[in-house]
């Protein structure tokens, strides 16, 4: 068991997966923030590395949660074959956690 764990950590270290995840995450955040500039329903984009969150709001000033809209977008994404998580106190935050092998072309 611990030999397997050490082997995984060795691969992560040797392939510089942490730096890779930071680079791809930064790229994703910049792309998501560009979408937020175009769409008022995106109230916030946040995260670190490949663990990202996109908060959906009805109004950016009041930050009223866009629960129904979040659910509708999730269903549409599921229909397109994209599985994404949902979180936040009101269930209006998309949790984006792609795998470590995710590349910039995938983003």
């Amino acid at each position: 068991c611990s030999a397997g764990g050490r082997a995984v950590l060795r691969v992560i270290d040797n392939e510089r997966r942490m730096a890779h995840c930071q680079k791809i995450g930064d790229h994703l955040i910049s792309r998501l923030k560009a979408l937020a500039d175009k769409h008022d329903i995106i109230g916030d984009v946040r995260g670190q590395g490949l663990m990202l969150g996109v908060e959906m709001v009805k109004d950016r000033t009041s930050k009223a949660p866009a629960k129904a809209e979040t659910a509708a977008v999730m269903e549409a994404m599921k229909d397109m074959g994209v599985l994404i998580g949902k979180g936040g106190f009101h269930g209006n935050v998309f949790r984006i956690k792609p795998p470590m092998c995710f590349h910039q072309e995938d983003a």
Side-chain angles (χ1 to χ4, degrees):
C1 181
S2 82
R6 283 196 309 270
V8 168
L9 291 174
R10 207 170 15 257
V11 168
I12 289 172
D13 188 43
N14 290 342
E15 293 184 4
R16 299 185 37 85
R17 286 281 118 191
M18 298 299 286
H20 169 79
C21 291
Q22 187 63 52
K23 177 184 170 192
I24 301 304
D26 290 346
H27 175 73
L28 275 170
I29 285 176
S30 70
R31 303 256 336 245
L32 290 167
K33 286 186 176 183
L35 280 176
D37 289 342
K38 294 179 184 177
H39 305 283
D40 289 338
I41 195 166
I42 301 175
D44 189 27
V45 174
R46 54 186 175 263
Q48 183 69 36
L50 289 179
M51 294 188 73
L52 309 173
V54 178
E55 183 176 5
M56 307 294 276
V57 297
K58 290 183 180 183
D59 174 52
R60 285 189 180 172
T61 305
S62 71
K63 293 278 194 178
K67 294 184 261 187
E69 294 86 343
T70 302
V73 171
M74 280 193 72
E75 283 301 312
M77 291 176 75
K78 187 172 71 174
D79 292 344
M80 291 186 280
V82 178
L83 299 179
I84 195 163
K86 179 174 68 167
F89 186 71
H90 301 286
N92 66 316
V93 179
F94 289 118
R95 290 181 178 167
I96 303 170
K97 298 180 288 185
M100 292 178 88
C101 60
F102 211 64
H103 288 12
Q104 193 158 331
E105 298 80 33
D106 302 318

